[in-house]
Amino acid sequence: MVSGDKATAQFGSLAFMATVNPRTRSVTIAPPAASVAPSIHGAERPSLSLLGNDVVRLVPSNLRMTALGAVTPNKIRVTFDVTIENKLPTLALITPTWPTPPAPYVIMFPLDVSVTSAPGGVAGGDGNTIGIGLPGTGQVVPSVNWDGTGVTGSGAPFSFFSSSTCSDRPASGCFRWVAFGDQLQPGVGRMTRTVGFDIDASVAQFRARMIVAADLVPAVSVAR
């Protein structure tokens, strides 16, 4: 079992970094600091379920903001679309075997969120920007737009890295999540979902580290 804090430390380098600036109404997604070579074999099977930039590309679009208090008291809701693209030529993405998924789909969840200011930035790979920011003020929490499969009630906080339920330990290792279908075919497989965050009005910029989890299998094995 892995606690929430340990999961953040252990797997943070495998997360995509979304940088959101409400003042400029912009969002970028930078690739993970670490790369996981695509494989369907190997002793380190768990780490191969957390996908990096060599396997998928995340493309943000359509950032939207509500008025202060329009949805949640004293908060602004910021939402944007994320399109996931399977970059592999012969392997499909399917439900991960680890971490245990809340539903049989390709999954994405926000590992952590930090508030920053002074956006700055340097060029990143794959057409994205790696931002460098200073600590900022205010709070940011994932909103109900992380709605799982889209079914009412889906997307509630789930304990990906331990056997504890979120009702037992609601603040430890529990993350909202969104599903990208039960499979993404190689080369052309893509799907778009909306995610969101509730923020204080004082937040000038924030970053969310997002984990994508799926297993890799030969496309022929999931052909329909």
Side-chain angles (χ1 to χ4, degrees), residues 34-205:
S35 227
V36 180
S39 173
I40 57 172
H41 304 292
E44 299 297 324
R45 179 66 183 185
S47 66
L48 297 180
S49 293
L50 305 184
L51 305 186
N53 193 53
D54 45 359
V55 178
V56 295
R57 183 170 185 247
L58 299 184
V59 181
S61 60
N62 300 326
L63 185 140
R64 302 168 293 272
M65 296 172 53
T66 69
L68 180 67
V71 178
T72 303
N74 302 314
K75 301 287 184 181
I76 297 169
R77 178 160 296 174
V78 177
T79 61
F80 56 92
D81 298 337
V82 177
T83 299
I84 185 172
E85 299 177 353
N86 180 0
K87 298 170 64 175
L88 302 178
T90 61
L91 300 178
L93 312 182
I94 63 169
T95 302
T97 53
W98 187 95
T100 302
Y105 296 89
V106 176
I107 299 294
M108 184 175 76
F109 59 93
L111 187 67
D112 62 8
V113 182
S114 59
V115 177
T116 63
S117 61
V122 296
D126 204 30
N128 289 301
T129 299
I130 299 174
I132 301 173
L134 301 174
T137 61
Q139 293 185 332
V140 177
V141 296
S143 70
V144 294
N145 300 92
W146 293 83
D147 62 352
T149 63
V151 175
T152 301
S154 186
F158 182 79
S159 181
F160 285 89
F161 300 109
S162 79
S163 58
S164 299
T165 67
C166 290
S167 58
D168 293 335
R169 302 166 59 192
S172 178
C174 292
F175 309 96
R176 295 199 65 89
W177 56 278
V178 70
F180 283 100
D182 60 351
Q183 64 175 268
L184 289 174
Q185 290 296 323
V188 296
R190 61 179 51 84
M191 185 175 182
T192 300
R193 294 299 311 275
T194 298
V195 299
F197 299 87
D198 289 330
I199 71 172
D200 288 340
S202 60
V203 173
Q205 178 179 275

